Amino acid sequence: MSEESRYYQEALQEYNDLKKESDPDVWDKRISETGCYVENLALQLCHAETNDWRQCMKEMALFRKCWDTKGNRDRVRTVDR
């Protein structure tokens, strides 16, 4: 896929390693259940390295696309007060 970045590739490898664990961390499990673990981690890796969200627009777009595709927007609705 041409839209994948090196951060995405790194995140995908980490996710594949995580799936082999018999007792994953609670946070990792929770993020994995969204269906967007790899995209979330790629975005985190990019920001951690660059310290600039503007340099992570590709990763942000992939995460947003995944989040919307997996129906997570409906899952986490907030109430305006």
PDB file of all heavy atoms in Angstrom, residues 1-4 8 34-40 42-43 56-74:
ATOM      1  N   MET A   1       0.841  -1.174   0.000  1.00  0.00           N
ATOM      2  CA  MET A   1       0.000   0.000   0.000  1.00  0.00           C
ATOM      3  C   MET A   1       0.889   1.240   0.000  1.00  0.00           C
ATOM      4  O   MET A   1       1.734   1.410   0.852  1.00  0.00           O
ATOM      5  CB  MET A   1      -0.891  -0.042   1.245  1.00  0.00           C
ATOM      6  CG  MET A   1      -1.824   1.114   1.384  1.00  0.00           C
ATOM      7  SD  MET A   1      -2.746   0.977   2.935  1.00  0.00           S
ATOM      8  CE  MET A   1      -4.355   0.703   2.285  1.00  0.00           C
ATOM      9  N   SER A   2       0.716   2.117  -0.935  1.00  0.00           N
ATOM     10  CA  SER A   2       1.608   3.255  -1.109  1.00  0.00           C
ATOM     11  C   SER A   2       1.445   4.310  -0.018  1.00  0.00           C
ATOM     12  O   SER A   2       2.324   5.117   0.190  1.00  0.00           O
ATOM     13  CB  SER A   2       1.370   3.895  -2.474  1.00  0.00           C
ATOM     14  OG  SER A   2       0.048   4.386  -2.547  1.00  0.00           O
ATOM     15  N   GLU A   3       0.313   4.317   0.683  1.00  0.00           N
ATOM     16  CA  GLU A   3       0.093   5.335   1.694  1.00  0.00           C
ATOM     17  C   GLU A   3       0.707   4.985   3.040  1.00  0.00           C
ATOM     18  O   GLU A   3       0.654   5.770   3.968  1.00  0.00           O
ATOM     19  CB  GLU A   3      -1.398   5.629   1.837  1.00  0.00           C
ATOM     20  CG  GLU A   3      -2.249   4.409   2.032  1.00  0.00           C
ATOM     21  CD  GLU A   3      -3.737   4.698   1.896  1.00  0.00           C
ATOM     22  OE1 GLU A   3      -4.154   5.166   0.842  1.00  0.00           O
ATOM     23  OE2 GLU A   3      -4.455   4.430   2.869  1.00  0.00           O
ATOM     24  N   GLU A   4       1.305   3.816   3.161  1.00  0.00           N
ATOM     25  CA  GLU A   4       1.923   3.413   4.419  1.00  0.00           C
ATOM     26  C   GLU A   4       3.267   4.104   4.588  1.00  0.00           C
ATOM     27  O   GLU A   4       4.025   4.267   3.655  1.00  0.00           O
ATOM     28  CB  GLU A   4       2.127   1.903   4.453  1.00  0.00           C
ATOM     29  CG  GLU A   4       0.844   1.128   4.512  1.00  0.00           C
ATOM     30  CD  GLU A   4       1.050  -0.364   4.405  1.00  0.00           C
ATOM     31  OE1 GLU A   4       2.202  -0.804   4.290  1.00  0.00           O
ATOM     32  OE2 GLU A   4       0.048  -1.072   4.435  1.00  0.00           O
ATOM     33  N   TYR A   8       4.157   3.253  10.044  1.00  0.00           N
ATOM     34  CA  TYR A   8       3.111   2.238   9.907  1.00  0.00           C
ATOM     35  C   TYR A   8       3.745   0.848   9.883  1.00  0.00           C
ATOM     36  O   TYR A   8       3.253  -0.070  10.540  1.00  0.00           O
ATOM     37  CB  TYR A   8       2.294   2.475   8.637  1.00  0.00           C
ATOM     38  CG  TYR A   8       1.145   1.509   8.486  1.00  0.00           C
ATOM     39  CD1 TYR A   8      -0.111   1.832   8.990  1.00  0.00           C
ATOM     40  CD2 TYR A   8       1.320   0.284   7.858  1.00  0.00           C
ATOM     41  CE1 TYR A   8      -1.169   0.940   8.867  1.00  0.00           C
ATOM     42  CE2 TYR A   8       0.266  -0.608   7.741  1.00  0.00           C
ATOM     43  CZ  TYR A   8      -0.971  -0.276   8.237  1.00  0.00           C
ATOM     44  OH  TYR A   8      -2.017  -1.162   8.125  1.00  0.00           O
ATOM     45  N   THR A  34     -10.425  -1.488  19.073  1.00  0.00           N
ATOM     46  CA  THR A  34     -10.969  -0.456  18.187  1.00  0.00           C
ATOM     47  C   THR A  34     -10.757  -0.835  16.726  1.00  0.00           C
ATOM     48  O   THR A  34     -11.397  -0.281  15.847  1.00  0.00           O
ATOM     49  CB  THR A  34     -10.309   0.922  18.412  1.00  0.00           C
ATOM     50  OG1 THR A  34      -8.942   0.868  17.991  1.00  0.00           O
ATOM     51  CG2 THR A  34     -10.419   1.378  19.849  1.00  0.00           C
ATOM     52  N   GLY A  35      -9.817  -1.764  16.493  1.00  0.00           N
ATOM     53  CA  GLY A  35      -9.485  -2.142  15.122  1.00  0.00           C
ATOM     54  C   GLY A  35      -8.460  -1.220  14.484  1.00  0.00           C
ATOM     55  O   GLY A  35      -8.125  -1.370  13.317  1.00  0.00           O
ATOM     56  N   CYS A  36      -7.959  -0.260  15.251  1.00  0.00           N
ATOM     57  CA  CYS A  36      -7.035   0.743  14.711  1.00  0.00           C
ATOM     58  C   CYS A  36      -5.720   0.805  15.492  1.00  0.00           C
ATOM     59  O   CYS A  36      -5.091   1.859  15.582  1.00  0.00           O
ATOM     60  CB  CYS A  36      -7.704   2.115  14.707  1.00  0.00           C
ATOM     61  SG  CYS A  36      -9.200   2.186  13.709  1.00  0.00           S
ATOM     62  N   TYR A  37      -5.309  -0.317  16.042  1.00  0.00           N
ATOM     63  CA  TYR A  37      -4.090  -0.346  16.851  1.00  0.00           C
ATOM     64  C   TYR A  37      -2.878   0.117  16.040  1.00  0.00           C
ATOM     65  O   TYR A  37      -2.102   0.957  16.496  1.00  0.00           O
ATOM     66  CB  TYR A  37      -3.840  -1.752  17.395  1.00  0.00           C
ATOM     67  CG  TYR A  37      -2.643  -1.835  18.301  1.00  0.00           C
ATOM     68  CD1 TYR A  37      -2.787  -1.667  19.677  1.00  0.00           C
ATOM     69  CD2 TYR A  37      -1.367  -2.057  17.802  1.00  0.00           C
ATOM     70  CE1 TYR A  37      -1.696  -1.723  20.521  1.00  0.00           C
ATOM     71  CE2 TYR A  37      -0.267  -2.115  18.635  1.00  0.00           C
ATOM     72  CZ  TYR A  37      -0.433  -1.953  19.987  1.00  0.00           C
ATOM     73  OH  TYR A  37       0.656  -1.993  20.822  1.00  0.00           O
ATOM     74  N   VAL A  38      -2.714  -0.439  14.857  1.00  0.00           N
ATOM     75  CA  VAL A  38      -1.538  -0.130  14.041  1.00  0.00           C
ATOM     76  C   VAL A  38      -1.516   1.347  13.664  1.00  0.00           C
ATOM     77  O   VAL A  38      -0.489   2.017  13.789  1.00  0.00           O
ATOM     78  CB  VAL A  38      -1.491  -1.025  12.780  1.00  0.00           C
ATOM     79  CG1 VAL A  38      -0.350  -0.621  11.872  1.00  0.00           C
ATOM     80  CG2 VAL A  38      -1.370  -2.486  13.179  1.00  0.00           C
ATOM     81  N   GLU A  39      -2.649   1.871  13.247  1.00  0.00           N
ATOM     82  CA  GLU A  39      -2.723   3.278  12.850  1.00  0.00           C
ATOM     83  C   GLU A  39      -2.468   4.204  14.039  1.00  0.00           C
ATOM     84  O   GLU A  39      -1.785   5.219  13.906  1.00  0.00           O
ATOM     85  CB  GLU A  39      -4.093   3.574  12.232  1.00  0.00           C
ATOM     86  CG  GLU A  39      -4.326   2.888  10.902  1.00  0.00           C
ATOM     87  CD  GLU A  39      -4.723   1.419  11.005  1.00  0.00           C
ATOM     88  OE1 GLU A  39      -4.868   0.890  12.134  1.00  0.00           O
ATOM     89  OE2 GLU A  39      -4.897   0.788   9.952  1.00  0.00           O
ATOM     90  N   ASN A  40      -2.999   3.835  15.211  1.00  0.00           N
ATOM     91  CA  ASN A  40      -2.776   4.612  16.426  1.00  0.00           C
ATOM     92  C   ASN A  40      -1.293   4.621  16.795  1.00  0.00           C
ATOM     93  O   ASN A  40      -0.723   5.674  17.088  1.00  0.00           O
ATOM     94  CB  ASN A  40      -3.613   4.031  17.571  1.00  0.00           C
ATOM     95  CG  ASN A  40      -3.402   4.755  18.875  1.00  0.00           C
ATOM     96  OD1 ASN A  40      -3.727   5.921  19.003  1.00  0.00           O
ATOM     97  ND2 ASN A  40      -2.856   4.053  19.852  1.00  0.00           N
ATOM     98  N   ALA A  42       1.288   3.998  14.845  1.00  0.00           N
ATOM     99  CA  ALA A  42       2.070   4.707  13.822  1.00  0.00           C
ATOM    100  C   ALA A  42       2.039   6.205  14.076  1.00  0.00           C
ATOM    101  O   ALA A  42       3.059   6.889  13.972  1.00  0.00           O
ATOM    102  CB  ALA A  42       1.537   4.384  12.430  1.00  0.00           C
ATOM    103  N   LEU A  43       0.886   6.722  14.431  1.00  0.00           N
ATOM    104  CA  LEU A  43       0.756   8.142  14.739  1.00  0.00           C
ATOM    105  C   LEU A  43       1.585   8.503  15.972  1.00  0.00           C
ATOM    106  O   LEU A  43       2.286   9.516  15.982  1.00  0.00           O
ATOM    107  CB  LEU A  43      -0.722   8.488  14.949  1.00  0.00           C
ATOM    108  CG  LEU A  43      -1.064   9.932  15.244  1.00  0.00           C
ATOM    109  CD1 LEU A  43      -0.532  10.863  14.165  1.00  0.00           C
ATOM    110  CD2 LEU A  43      -2.572  10.078  15.396  1.00  0.00           C
ATOM    111  N   CYS A  56       3.110  14.582  10.748  1.00  0.00           N
ATOM    112  CA  CYS A  56       2.460  13.272  10.862  1.00  0.00           C
ATOM    113  C   CYS A  56       1.085  13.265  10.207  1.00  0.00           C
ATOM    114  O   CYS A  56       0.204  12.487  10.590  1.00  0.00           O
ATOM    115  CB  CYS A  56       2.336  12.885  12.339  1.00  0.00           C
ATOM    116  SG  CYS A  56       3.908  12.894  13.223  1.00  0.00           S
ATOM    117  N   MET A  57       0.882  14.113   9.222  1.00  0.00           N
ATOM    118  CA  MET A  57      -0.430  14.227   8.594  1.00  0.00           C
ATOM    119  C   MET A  57      -0.848  12.931   7.893  1.00  0.00           C
ATOM    120  O   MET A  57      -2.024  12.565   7.908  1.00  0.00           O
ATOM    121  CB  MET A  57      -0.458  15.396   7.614  1.00  0.00           C
ATOM    122  CG  MET A  57      -0.231  16.731   8.317  1.00  0.00           C
ATOM    123  SD  MET A  57      -1.313  16.966   9.722  1.00  0.00           S
ATOM    124  CE  MET A  57      -2.535  17.987   8.995  1.00  0.00           C
ATOM    125  N   LYS A  58       0.104  12.225   7.295  1.00  0.00           N
ATOM    126  CA  LYS A  58      -0.216  10.958   6.636  1.00  0.00           C
ATOM    127  C   LYS A  58      -0.714   9.935   7.655  1.00  0.00           C
ATOM    128  O   LYS A  58      -1.730   9.275   7.457  1.00  0.00           O
ATOM    129  CB  LYS A  58       1.016  10.407   5.904  1.00  0.00           C
ATOM    130  CG  LYS A  58       0.751   9.110   5.164  1.00  0.00           C
ATOM    131  CD  LYS A  58       2.022   8.509   4.587  1.00  0.00           C
ATOM    132  CE  LYS A  58       2.503   9.353   3.443  1.00  0.00           C
ATOM    133  NZ  LYS A  58       3.613   8.722   2.725  1.00  0.00           N
ATOM    134  N   GLU A  59      -0.015   9.854   8.773  1.00  0.00           N
ATOM    135  CA  GLU A  59      -0.413   8.929   9.832  1.00  0.00           C
ATOM    136  C   GLU A  59      -1.757   9.335  10.445  1.00  0.00           C
ATOM    137  O   GLU A  59      -2.584   8.481  10.756  1.00  0.00           O
ATOM    138  CB  GLU A  59       0.671   8.864  10.917  1.00  0.00           C
ATOM    139  CG  GLU A  59       1.947   8.186  10.473  1.00  0.00           C
ATOM    140  CD  GLU A  59       2.843   9.036   9.591  1.00  0.00           C
ATOM    141  OE1 GLU A  59       2.651  10.268   9.522  1.00  0.00           O
ATOM    142  OE2 GLU A  59       3.735   8.468   8.951  1.00  0.00           O
ATOM    143  N   MET A  60      -1.964  10.631  10.599  1.00  0.00           N
ATOM    144  CA  MET A  60      -3.229  11.124  11.141  1.00  0.00           C
ATOM    145  C   MET A  60      -4.383  10.762  10.206  1.00  0.00           C
ATOM    146  O   MET A  60      -5.440  10.318  10.657  1.00  0.00           O
ATOM    147  CB  MET A  60      -3.175  12.643  11.328  1.00  0.00           C
ATOM    148  CG  MET A  60      -4.457  13.245  11.862  1.00  0.00           C
ATOM    149  SD  MET A  60      -4.735  12.919  13.606  1.00  0.00           S
ATOM    150  CE  MET A  60      -3.619  14.093  14.324  1.00  0.00           C
ATOM    151  N   ALA A  61      -4.172  10.926   8.913  1.00  0.00           N
ATOM    152  CA  ALA A  61      -5.215  10.605   7.935  1.00  0.00           C
ATOM    153  C   ALA A  61      -5.528   9.107   7.940  1.00  0.00           C
ATOM    154  O   ALA A  61      -6.698   8.714   7.866  1.00  0.00           O
ATOM    155  CB  ALA A  61      -4.792  11.057   6.538  1.00  0.00           C
ATOM    156  N   LEU A  62      -4.505   8.270   8.048  1.00  0.00           N
ATOM    157  CA  LEU A  62      -4.735   6.824   8.104  1.00  0.00           C
ATOM    158  C   LEU A  62      -5.496   6.436   9.362  1.00  0.00           C
ATOM    159  O   LEU A  62      -6.395   5.592   9.330  1.00  0.00           O
ATOM    160  CB  LEU A  62      -3.407   6.065   8.045  1.00  0.00           C
ATOM    161  CG  LEU A  62      -2.723   6.016   6.697  1.00  0.00           C
ATOM    162  CD1 LEU A  62      -1.336   5.390   6.822  1.00  0.00           C
ATOM    163  CD2 LEU A  62      -3.559   5.253   5.694  1.00  0.00           C
ATOM    164  N   PHE A  63      -5.149   7.072  10.485  1.00  0.00           N
ATOM    165  CA  PHE A  63      -5.854   6.780  11.731  1.00  0.00           C
ATOM    166  C   PHE A  63      -7.318   7.214  11.634  1.00  0.00           C
ATOM    167  O   PHE A  63      -8.227   6.469  11.995  1.00  0.00           O
ATOM    168  CB  PHE A  63      -5.179   7.474  12.913  1.00  0.00           C
ATOM    169  CG  PHE A  63      -5.926   7.278  14.201  1.00  0.00           C
ATOM    170  CD1 PHE A  63      -5.887   6.061  14.853  1.00  0.00           C
ATOM    171  CD2 PHE A  63      -6.682   8.300  14.745  1.00  0.00           C
ATOM    172  CE1 PHE A  63      -6.593   5.860  16.039  1.00  0.00           C
ATOM    173  CE2 PHE A  63      -7.385   8.116  15.916  1.00  0.00           C
ATOM    174  CZ  PHE A  63      -7.340   6.890  16.566  1.00  0.00           C
ATOM    175  N   ARG A  64      -7.544   8.412  11.127  1.00  0.00           N
ATOM    176  CA  ARG A  64      -8.913   8.926  11.008  1.00  0.00           C
ATOM    177  C   ARG A  64      -9.750   8.036  10.081  1.00  0.00           C
ATOM    178  O   ARG A  64     -10.902   7.725  10.386  1.00  0.00           O
ATOM    179  CB  ARG A  64      -8.891  10.347  10.486  1.00  0.00           C
ATOM    180  CG  ARG A  64     -10.287  10.958  10.387  1.00  0.00           C
ATOM    181  CD  ARG A  64     -10.244  12.425  10.042  1.00  0.00           C
ATOM    182  NE  ARG A  64      -9.725  13.151  11.185  1.00  0.00           N
ATOM    183  CZ  ARG A  64      -8.799  14.117  11.107  1.00  0.00           C
ATOM    184  NH1 ARG A  64      -8.308  14.471   9.949  1.00  0.00           N
ATOM    185  NH2 ARG A  64      -8.394  14.729  12.191  1.00  0.00           N
ATOM    186  N   LYS A  65      -9.162   7.610   8.977  1.00  0.00           N
ATOM    187  CA  LYS A  65      -9.871   6.733   8.036  1.00  0.00           C
ATOM    188  C   LYS A  65     -10.230   5.414   8.718  1.00  0.00           C
ATOM    189  O   LYS A  65     -11.350   4.924   8.599  1.00  0.00           O
ATOM    190  CB  LYS A  65      -8.999   6.482   6.812  1.00  0.00           C
ATOM    191  CG  LYS A  65      -9.629   5.593   5.771  1.00  0.00           C
ATOM    192  CD  LYS A  65      -8.708   5.412   4.584  1.00  0.00           C
ATOM    193  CE  LYS A  65      -9.323   4.485   3.567  1.00  0.00           C
ATOM    194  NZ  LYS A  65      -8.411   4.250   2.435  1.00  0.00           N
ATOM    195  N   CYS A  66      -9.282   4.835   9.438  1.00  0.00           N
ATOM    196  CA  CYS A  66      -9.530   3.582  10.149  1.00  0.00           C
ATOM    197  C   CYS A  66     -10.620   3.775  11.192  1.00  0.00           C
ATOM    198  O   CYS A  66     -11.559   2.985  11.293  1.00  0.00           O
ATOM    199  CB  CYS A  66      -8.246   3.078  10.808  1.00  0.00           C
ATOM    200  SG  CYS A  66      -8.486   1.556  11.746  1.00  0.00           S
ATOM    201  N   TRP A  67     -10.502   4.836  11.981  1.00  0.00           N
ATOM    202  CA  TRP A  67     -11.451   5.109  13.058  1.00  0.00           C
ATOM    203  C   TRP A  67     -12.876   5.201  12.513  1.00  0.00           C
ATOM    204  O   TRP A  67     -13.801   4.607  13.056  1.00  0.00           O
ATOM    205  CB  TRP A  67     -11.060   6.404  13.758  1.00  0.00           C
ATOM    206  CG  TRP A  67     -11.787   6.642  15.033  1.00  0.00           C
ATOM    207  CD1 TRP A  67     -12.858   7.459  15.221  1.00  0.00           C
ATOM    208  CD2 TRP A  67     -11.508   6.055  16.307  1.00  0.00           C
ATOM    209  NE1 TRP A  67     -13.258   7.424  16.535  1.00  0.00           N
ATOM    210  CE2 TRP A  67     -12.442   6.579  17.221  1.00  0.00           C
ATOM    211  CE3 TRP A  67     -10.547   5.149  16.758  1.00  0.00           C
ATOM    212  CZ2 TRP A  67     -12.450   6.215  18.566  1.00  0.00           C
ATOM    213  CZ3 TRP A  67     -10.561   4.799  18.097  1.00  0.00           C
ATOM    214  CH2 TRP A  67     -11.497   5.322  18.984  1.00  0.00           C
ATOM    215  N   ASP A  68     -13.023   5.931  11.418  1.00  0.00           N
ATOM    216  CA  ASP A  68     -14.353   6.092  10.815  1.00  0.00           C
ATOM    217  C   ASP A  68     -14.846   4.790  10.185  1.00  0.00           C
ATOM    218  O   ASP A  68     -16.005   4.424  10.341  1.00  0.00           O
ATOM    219  CB  ASP A  68     -14.332   7.200   9.765  1.00  0.00           C
ATOM    220  CG  ASP A  68     -14.156   8.586  10.382  1.00  0.00           C
ATOM    221  OD1 ASP A  68     -14.376   8.736  11.598  1.00  0.00           O
ATOM    222  OD2 ASP A  68     -13.802   9.515   9.630  1.00  0.00           O
ATOM    223  N   THR A  69     -13.967   4.086   9.501  1.00  0.00           N
ATOM    224  CA  THR A  69     -14.331   2.831   8.833  1.00  0.00           C
ATOM    225  C   THR A  69     -14.785   1.772   9.829  1.00  0.00           C
ATOM    226  O   THR A  69     -15.714   1.016   9.555  1.00  0.00           O
ATOM    227  CB  THR A  69     -13.132   2.294   8.021  1.00  0.00           C
ATOM    228  OG1 THR A  69     -12.762   3.276   7.053  1.00  0.00           O
ATOM    229  CG2 THR A  69     -13.476   1.006   7.314  1.00  0.00           C
ATOM    230  N   LYS A  70     -14.152   1.731  10.980  1.00  0.00           N
ATOM    231  CA  LYS A  70     -14.471   0.716  11.995  1.00  0.00           C
ATOM    232  C   LYS A  70     -15.669   1.110  12.869  1.00  0.00           C
ATOM    233  O   LYS A  70     -16.038   0.370  13.762  1.00  0.00           O
ATOM    234  CB  LYS A  70     -13.261   0.454  12.913  1.00  0.00           C
ATOM    235  CG  LYS A  70     -12.028  -0.005  12.195  1.00  0.00           C
ATOM    236  CD  LYS A  70     -12.185  -1.390  11.639  1.00  0.00           C
ATOM    237  CE  LYS A  70     -10.868  -1.811  11.002  1.00  0.00           C
ATOM    238  NZ  LYS A  70     -10.894  -3.125  10.447  1.00  0.00           N
ATOM    239  N   GLY A  71     -16.268   2.279  12.613  1.00  0.00           N
ATOM    240  CA  GLY A  71     -17.446   2.695  13.364  1.00  0.00           C
ATOM    241  C   GLY A  71     -17.162   3.181  14.769  1.00  0.00           C
ATOM    242  O   GLY A  71     -18.062   3.230  15.601  1.00  0.00           O
ATOM    243  N   ASN A  72     -15.938   3.577  15.043  1.00  0.00           N
ATOM    244  CA  ASN A  72     -15.580   4.015  16.389  1.00  0.00           C
ATOM    245  C   ASN A  72     -16.167   5.375  16.747  1.00  0.00           C
ATOM    246  O   ASN A  72     -16.367   5.668  17.918  1.00  0.00           O
ATOM    247  CB  ASN A  72     -14.058   4.036  16.560  1.00  0.00           C
ATOM    248  CG  ASN A  72     -13.505   2.638  16.603  1.00  0.00           C
ATOM    249  OD1 ASN A  72     -13.909   1.828  17.422  1.00  0.00           O
ATOM    250  ND2 ASN A  72     -12.589   2.336  15.699  1.00  0.00           N
ATOM    251  N   ARG A  73     -16.458   6.186  15.755  1.00  0.00           N
ATOM    252  CA  ARG A  73     -17.039   7.495  16.036  1.00  0.00           C
ATOM    253  C   ARG A  73     -18.380   7.325  16.764  1.00  0.00           C
ATOM    254  O   ARG A  73     -18.677   8.036  17.705  1.00  0.00           O
ATOM    255  CB  ARG A  73     -17.224   8.284  14.745  1.00  0.00           C
ATOM    256  CG  ARG A  73     -17.693   9.698  14.963  1.00  0.00           C
ATOM    257  CD  ARG A  73     -17.764  10.468  13.655  1.00  0.00           C
ATOM    258  NE  ARG A  73     -16.502  10.546  12.970  1.00  0.00           N
ATOM    259  CZ  ARG A  73     -15.595  11.484  13.171  1.00  0.00           C
ATOM    260  NH1 ARG A  73     -15.818  12.433  14.051  1.00  0.00           N
ATOM    261  NH2 ARG A  73     -14.473  11.500  12.494  1.00  0.00           N
ATOM    262  N   ASP A  74     -19.174   6.363  16.329  1.00  0.00           N
ATOM    263  CA  ASP A  74     -20.461   6.101  16.975  1.00  0.00           C
ATOM    264  C   ASP A  74     -20.278   5.504  18.365  1.00  0.00           C
ATOM    265  O   ASP A  74     -21.092   5.713  19.251  1.00  0.00           O
ATOM    266  CB  ASP A  74     -21.301   5.148  16.122  1.00  0.00           C
ATOM    267  CG  ASP A  74     -21.688   5.765  14.799  1.00  0.00           C
ATOM    268  OD1 ASP A  74     -21.794   7.002  14.727  1.00  0.00           O
ATOM    269  OD2 ASP A  74     -21.893   5.013  13.831  1.00  0.00           O
TER     270      ASP A  74
END
